[in-house]
Amino acid sequence: MSSALPLPAPKRFPIAAMLVLATIAFTAITTELLTSGLLPQISVGLEVSEPVAGYLAAAYAAVIVVTVIPAARLLARVPRKTLLVSLVLTFALSNVLVGLAPNFAAAMGGRLVGGLAHGLLWTTMAPFVSRVVPSDKVGKALAIVFSGNSLGMAIGAPVGTALGSVLGWRAAFLFLAGFGLLLTGLALWLLPQVRRTSDAARPSMRTAIAQPGVKAVAIAWPLLVLAHFALFTYIAPFIREAGLPDYAISLSLTVLGASGLVGIWVAGITVDSRPRRSLLITTAAIAIAMLLLPLGGGTMPTAIALMAVWGAGLGAIGIYNQAAILRAGGEYRDAANGLTVLTIQLGITIGALYGSAALVLAGPLMVPVAAALPVVVALVITLTGKRHAYPPGRKEAGWSEPKVKEMADQH
């Protein structure tokens, strides 16, 4: 039995809270990417080589893989609003530690703190959203929140890098820490209290994995992320080999981030009504864009158009799959979501290694083709997961009213 009565189901859409969560996502992504943009300055400042300084980025991802599941279980009984506010404060602490680090070891400690917060944030945020918005508006809410990811990539990291280049890398991290402190206050003020779940629904990874559809989403979604990072990590060698000018490298990053916002907007409109058809079309479009890049990537307009399709698809698939894992996880959505956080981080790590292997074995022009292969596998999983993993929405053939009622009851 639960020790607390559940709060009533939400009736109004909490737009202010969703904007705060989007800003938290923006801060998390900017924190994650900032070391990569300032790698040369950090290398000089901490008196280490650039490859060694790069460990600050690798360690951030590694600590997520190692800690996300045990930390989520350990903190399962902490009220969700309290945890989210604490995580924003932890991001600020991480950036302070890095900004004031007297040596590389201290900076590494600060990054490990940030990685711990990052993993917990993504296990907490989506289930939090599903409990504080009306059940038929979860997709819209996730679209708003996930826009912070694309803004962090398109705006946060470049602006932070520019600030670090002008004022020094330490100033960039300290500025981000100050922003985090301000955001902590806004989160404390504007985030609502989340409804309590029953003791039976405490995070259980084993039970979550046993839920129909969870394994399919936890494999297909990371495959798409793996494909993205396989190509994204080595986009510069591809652009140079394709004969495009060097400015196309920075332009491509901007296009990916900006088009990602368009994809999120489209997904926000369709995820609650046509999630299955939309995800199938999006996944197929990503595969086609990647396969065509070696053929049409030699001209700037074609390359930018294909990258825009890729970026928009990347933004959209996050919304569709996030909604899918929450639905498939049912009352164990917290643990199911934690599982995808883990598998996605593995996908990021393996994606970079996979892209490296494709670069060495097949050459830069074939990296997009290699990246398209896991996208095709994800498409097959989506096609075969109609019943549990990726069922039709309310405006698609095969939709049934009881499934929606069941979801509403779970929320």
Side-chain angles (χ1 to χ4, degrees):
M1 297 292 292
S2 175
S3 58
L5 293 174
L7 297 177
K11 301 297 183 184
R12 307 174 73 178
F13 189 82
I15 183 63
M18 296 304 101
L19 292 175
V20 168
L21 290 175
T23 309
I24 293 173
F26 170 87
T27 303
I29 295 299
T30 303
T31 297
E32 181 180 23
L33 299 178
L34 193 55
T35 53
S36 299
L38 296 173
L39 201 63
Q41 297 95 314
I42 294 173
S43 171
V44 173
L46 296 179
E47 299 180 344
V48 296
S49 67
E50 288 192 10
V52 171
Y55 293 155
L56 294 175
Y60 191 97
V63 76
I64 296 173
V65 173
V66 173
T67 65
V68 61
I69 292 177
R73 291 180 64 86
L74 181 65
L75 300 174
R77 294 181 181 274
V78 176
R80 300 296 89 177
K81 176 179 178 178
T82 301
L83 181 58
L84 282 169
V85 171
S86 300
L87 291 175
V88 181
L89 191 60
T90 304
F91 278 116
L93 173 63
S94 168
N95 288 315
V96 166
L97 292 174
V98 175
L100 299 179
N103 51 49
F104 179 77
M108 178 63 77
R111 292 293 287 176
L112 294 177
V113 170
L116 174 62
H118 196 103
L120 277 170
L121 176 69
W122 295 113
T123 61
T124 304
M125 194 142 63
F128 179 88
V129 168
S130 73
R131 293 190 178 101
V132 299
V133 301
S135 59
D136 62 339
K137 300 294 183 183
V138 171
K140 174 184 176 181
L142 290 174
I144 294 172
V145 172
F146 270 66
S147 67
N149 294 36
S150 291
L151 287 171
M153 181 182 295
I155 299 175
V159 169
T161 300
L163 180 65
S165 300
V166 174
L167 300 179
W169 67 272
R170 294 183 185 275
F173 281 98
L174 293 176
F175 180 85
L176 191 55
F179 183 78
L181 289 175
L182 176 62
L183 186 56
T184 301
L186 289 174
L188 191 61
W189 176 32
L190 294 173
L191 291 184
Q193 294 290 344
V194 74
R195 300 194 308 282
R196 293 286 298 276
T197 58
S198 67
D199 291 338
R202 297 298 178 192
S204 169
M205 191 61 63
R206 181 179 301 175
T207 309
I209 293 173
Q211 302 304 302
V214 166
K215 288 190 288 292
V217 181
I219 294 173
W221 190 4
L223 281 172
L224 293 166
V225 174
L226 183 155
H228 167 71
F229 277 91
L231 181 51
F232 178 80
T233 305
Y234 300 101
I235 192 65
F238 168 79
I239 286 174
R240 292 194 180 104
E241 187 71 15
L244 297 175
D246 282 347
Y247 72 81
I249 298 174
S250 57
L251 178 61
S252 66
L253 301 182
T254 302
V255 168
L256 287 171
S259 60
L261 292 174
V262 176
I264 288 172
W265 175 72
V266 173
I269 296 173
T270 57
V271 68
D272 291 319
S273 57
R274 297 181 176 89
R276 177 172 174 79
R277 183 187 309 167
S278 301
L279 179 57
L280 288 171
I281 293 172
T282 301
T283 306
I286 294 173
I288 292 170
M290 289 180 171
L291 288 170
L292 290 178
L293 265 174
L295 299 176
T299 63
M300 182 68 76
T302 305
I304 293 303
L306 292 173
M307 289 180 188
V309 173
W310 163 25
L314 179 72
I317 60 101
I319 304 300
Y320 295 129
N321 280 284
Q322 184 67 79
I325 196 65
L326 292 176
R327 178 178 55 243
E331 63 176 329
Y332 294 96
R333 65 174 74 88
D334 293 57
N337 192 65
L339 174 65
T340 59
V341 172
L342 172 62
T343 56
I344 285 171
Q345 289 300 318
L346 289 172
I348 292 172
T349 303
I350 296 172
L353 297 174
Y354 175 64
S356 176
L359 182 68
V360 172
L361 297 175
L365 288 180
M366 293 304 293
V367 172
V369 176
L373 297 180
V375 179
V376 173
V377 176
L379 180 61
V380 172
I381 293 173
T382 306
L383 279 168
T384 58
K386 183 176 182 178
R387 183 174 181 184
H388 297 294
Y390 299 104
R394 64 174 182 266
K395 293 186 178 181
E396 295 179 289
W399 173 80
S400 58
E401 181 73 21
K403 292 181 181 179
V404 174
K405 288 183 176 179
E406 181 183 347
M407 285 177 60
D409 292 340
Q410 290 172 358
H411 292 309

